[in-house]
Amino acid sequence: MNQQKSQFPEGFLWGGATAANQSEGAYLDGGKGLSLVDIIPAAEEDRFEALLNPAQALDTKYRFYPSHESIDFYHHFKEDIRLFAEMGFKCFRMSISWPRIFPNGDESEPNEEGLAFYDEVFDECHKYGIEPVVTINHFDTPLEIFKKYGGWKDRRCIDFYLNFCEAIFTRYKDKVKYWMTFNEINMILHIPFLGGALDVTKEANPEEVKYQAAHHQLVASAKATKLAHEINPDNQVGCMLAAGNTYPFTCNPNDVWKSINADREGYFFIDVQSRGYYPSYTNRFFKENNIEIVMEEGDKEVLKENTVDYIAFSYYSSRLTSADPEKMKETEGNVFATLRNPYLKASEWGWQIDPLGLRITMNLIYDRYQKPLFIVENGLGAVDTVTDAGMIEDDYRIDYMREHVREMGEAIEDGVELIGYTPWGCIDLVSAGTGEMKKRYGFIYVDRDNKGNGTNKRLKKKSFDWYKKTIASNGADIE
Ligand code: P53
């Protein structure tokens, strides 16, 4: 027997994670409006260029839009949640599509059909004792907000967002307790269209526009936290960081300093959401980059008084940086600038695999905020093949997951408070970065390819049984 004593606390929230824009499909069903991603094509038609140049993408007719059908969770959710229950999920992280509830984003009344859909999804979860964990905004601000207001640089977005929050907090008062205000809030700096419905291509100072939009999101997040607590004092509201800390390329202090500043780019958001004020290092950064944030009276108080209850984050990899600009040329084309770490292996998509980096990240974040952590994304995007016997032998995924779960256990022993773990894409879904189906993360395979061909049939992978065993033993039996 490999089984040891579990390091994981009783009631630990094992589960899996998805997002509406990458799984639901049914992009016009039930009165849904268009979401940002609904105008973005797949990798073959230059998805990345479209994400960087959304105004141009809006006027372009592509052959194929991966989000329009996705894996059709909209019509398969009962079957999918039943499979999650079979794995023993205690929770399920998903997002509510904003344009399903407010098709244009700026209406005053919500779309009843949209609300009714999520009632059914949550009821289905509770049928199996699965706790829903809901991301309020996961890369899918209604497209109309982009077209009409230019996205989150417009302060009115705060009110539109709060209107959305009020509708869902009220409606799902007795069904949802765990909320996250914005998925990977720091992603607005890297993919401003997905994160903030922004097109910064023609802005005189793109950095300033991004940070102004970020300020609006931070205020919106604090106000949403307040509202959630008023509507139901049991509500737990979290922030969500694309984490993975940055190592210095050498022990040259210049590299070390560079790596500290790289991490502050992301910490900035969580510093505000968790501590309640702009960290002092932003003063110099804003000054040197000619960034002036327009704040309204009361903003500082709202931030101060409404900090988050827990810190959620995604972790796929650590990063590596150097102070040498020549060296950094190697990183061009990455969402996050990162050098190749010679001590690490990488996935087929070049994402470096660093389980110990998860323990390091957990310790650093916990040291910094002293609030419960929730790992809400982690996993390996890989190509899976189905054998003639209909099996998917994804041992590489099991290896990845096992080593990360092991390091989570170590971090808990280190003293980190961890409340849950929801691996990304627990069922295969569309990749946010590339729009591919081929980049699969799931314990459940979906028969569908990059071009949208396939039966949508769901198949259990080998990792399905591994995860089931892991959950059943509360993380004690992971071999
Ligand atoms: P995909 C880049 C870097 C780190 C996290 O990503 C990222 C991205 C965006 O690609 O996003 C998160 O699908 C995000 C999910 C996304 C997941 O990582 O490109 O919250 O929506 O699917 C994995 O492999």
Side-chain angles (χ1 to χ4, degrees):
M1 273 286 277
N2 293 317
Q3 191 151 344
Q4 327 154 332
K5 195 177 160 300
S6 172
Q7 298 139 316
F8 293 82
E10 218 177 294
F12 187 76
L13 291 170
W14 297 96
T18 64
N21 80 85
Q22 292 165 256
S23 62
E24 284 179 4
Y27 82 117
L28 294 174
D29 286 29
K32 178 179 166 293
L34 289 179
S35 158
L36 297 175
V37 289
D38 292 333
I39 62 155
I40 302 294
E44 296 85 36
E45 289 184 87
D46 228 344
R47 182 182 184 87
F48 213 64
E49 175 58 29
L51 287 171
L52 295 177
N53 237 312
Q56 201 177 306
L58 196 57
D59 294 330
T60 309
K61 179 100 190 71
Y62 299 103
R63 285 193 304 279
F64 180 62
Y65 296 88
S67 69
H68 290 191
E69 293 169 12
S70 189
I71 59 159
D72 199 24
F73 178 78
Y74 191 77
H75 294 106
H76 288 75
F77 71 90
K78 289 193 178 162
E79 178 186 351
D80 296 344
I81 293 169
R82 182 166 14 91
L83 286 165
F84 299 157
E86 196 184 321
M87 266 187 282
F89 278 23
K90 312 288 181 214
C91 75
F92 171 43
R93 175 185 178 225
M94 49 171 279
S95 72
I96 295 182
S97 162
W98 184 354
R100 244 185 229 297
I101 311 298
F102 290 94
N104 297 321
D106 61 356
E107 297 92 339
S108 50
E109 292 307 315
N111 168 31
E112 173 56 34
E113 257 188 283
L115 288 170
F117 168 65
Y118 293 104
D119 264 325
E120 280 195 68
V121 172
F122 298 141
D123 289 345
E124 204 60 24
C125 288
H126 287 299
K127 194 165 116 187
Y128 300 105
I130 296 174
E131 184 75 43
V133 176
V134 174
T135 320
I136 298 167
N137 187 357
H138 192 132
F139 298 164
D140 70 352
T141 300
L143 186 64
E144 278 303 307
I145 296 228
F146 170 69
K147 287 163 64 176
K148 216 160 139 186
Y149 304 95
W152 277 91
K153 68 179 180 184
D154 189 312
R155 193 174 166 106
R156 283 172 290 185
C157 284
I158 299 176
D159 293 328
F160 303 145
Y161 175 86
L162 284 171
N163 211 24
F164 171 40
C165 288
E166 189 178 356
I168 59 178
F169 291 162
T170 313
R171 176 76 167 223
Y172 309 124
K173 184 172 182 284
D174 302 316
K175 300 185 183 183
V176 179
K177 198 171 99 178
Y178 288 94
W179 303 92
M180 270 168 270
T181 52
F182 289 90
N183 180 62
E184 294 188 336
I185 190 162
N186 51 321
M187 209 49 114
I188 196 171
L189 302 178
H190 306 280
I191 316 177
F193 181 59
L194 285 189
L198 298 173
D199 179 354
V200 296
T201 51
K202 294 183 189 70
E203 302 285 357
N205 186 350
E207 289 306 302
E208 184 174 59
V209 174
K210 287 193 257 178
Y211 278 98
Q212 184 64 55
H215 176 70
H216 294 148
Q217 292 193 341
L218 291 166
V219 171
S221 175
K223 288 189 171 183
T225 306
K226 180 170 193 273
L227 189 63
H229 289 153
E230 283 166 2
I231 291 176
N232 184 355
D234 286 341
N235 274 332
Q236 294 288 307
V237 186
C239 52
M240 199 306 204
L241 170 75
N245 76 288
T246 312
Y247 304 147
F249 188 66
T250 70
C251 49
N252 181 332
N254 288 322
D255 286 353
V256 176
W257 180 239
K258 177 90 189 296
S259 72
I260 288 174
N261 281 303
D263 282 344
R264 278 178 167 178
E265 264 182 30
Y267 281 146
F268 156 69
F269 296 84
I270 311 307
D271 285 352
V272 178
Q273 288 175 295
S274 181
R275 295 165 165 170
Y277 53 90
Y278 273 58
S280 52
Y281 58 81
T282 51
N283 294 336
R284 180 171 190 168
F285 176 78
F286 288 162
K287 203 157 94 199
E288 290 181 352
N289 289 280
N290 297 315
I291 294 170
E292 220 170 299
I293 307 283
V294 180
M295 294 200 193
E296 275 189 11
E297 216 186 298
D299 282 2
K300 285 190 175 158
E301 288 70 27
V302 166
L303 295 175
K304 183 87 207 151
E305 285 158 19
N306 302 285
T307 54
V308 289
D309 300 309
Y310 65 94
I311 316 284
F313 65 91
S314 62
Y315 176 85
Y316 293 92
S317 182
S318 55
R319 299 182 248 277
L320 183 62
T321 195
S322 159
D324 176 359
E326 271 310 301
K327 184 96 200 121
M328 288 308 282
K329 281 192 181 149
E330 293 169 27
T331 70
E332 278 163 17
N334 286 318
V335 171
F336 280 103
T338 184
L339 293 163
R340 273 283 294 124
N341 185 329
Y343 298 98
L344 302 177
K345 294 203 183 83
S347 80
E348 290 158 281
W349 275 264
W351 293 26
Q352 303 181 67
I353 301 170
D354 184 7
L356 180 54
L358 175 58
R359 178 177 173 191
I360 294 170
T361 296
M362 289 171 73
N363 273 276
L364 287 170
I365 297 180
Y366 192 67
D367 281 353
R368 195 171 180 110
Y369 303 115
Q370 301 281 301
K371 287 188 188 182
L373 306 188
F374 199 158
I375 303 171
V376 296
E377 286 184 31
N378 171 239
L380 179 71
V383 177
D384 292 326
T385 40
V386 186
T387 66
D388 292 342
M391 306 284 282
I392 300 110
E393 312 263 355
D394 57 341
D395 293 282
Y396 37 89
R397 182 168 293 107
I398 297 173
D399 290 343
Y400 178 102
M401 304 299 302
R402 181 195 296 116
E403 296 317 312
H404 284 78
V405 170
R406 201 191 304 284
E407 296 300 337
M408 280 159 44
E410 292 298 326
I412 292 171
E413 292 286 301
D414 293 335
V416 171
E417 196 182 342
L418 182 68
I419 53 179
Y421 179 55
T422 59
W424 177 248
C426 47
I427 179 164
D428 292 346
L429 38 64
V430 172
S431 156
T434 71
E436 292 167 295
M437 266 310 296
K438 204 171 87 180
K439 192 180 185 190
R440 298 173 183 275
Y441 287 87
F443 305 112
I444 301 163
Y445 183 90
V446 178
D447 176 30
R448 190 175 164 84
D449 70 15
N450 279 357
K451 295 200 163 59
N453 304 308
T455 60
N456 272 342
K457 198 167 147 23
R458 275 64 170 151
L459 290 170
K460 296 176 202 170
K461 302 181 193 176
K462 191 173 173 185
S463 56
F464 184 101
D465 291 322
W466 174 84
Y467 196 41
K468 185 176 173 177
K469 180 181 76 167
T470 298
I471 297 176
S473 65
N474 200 25
D477 183 7
I478 59 174
E479 296 309 323

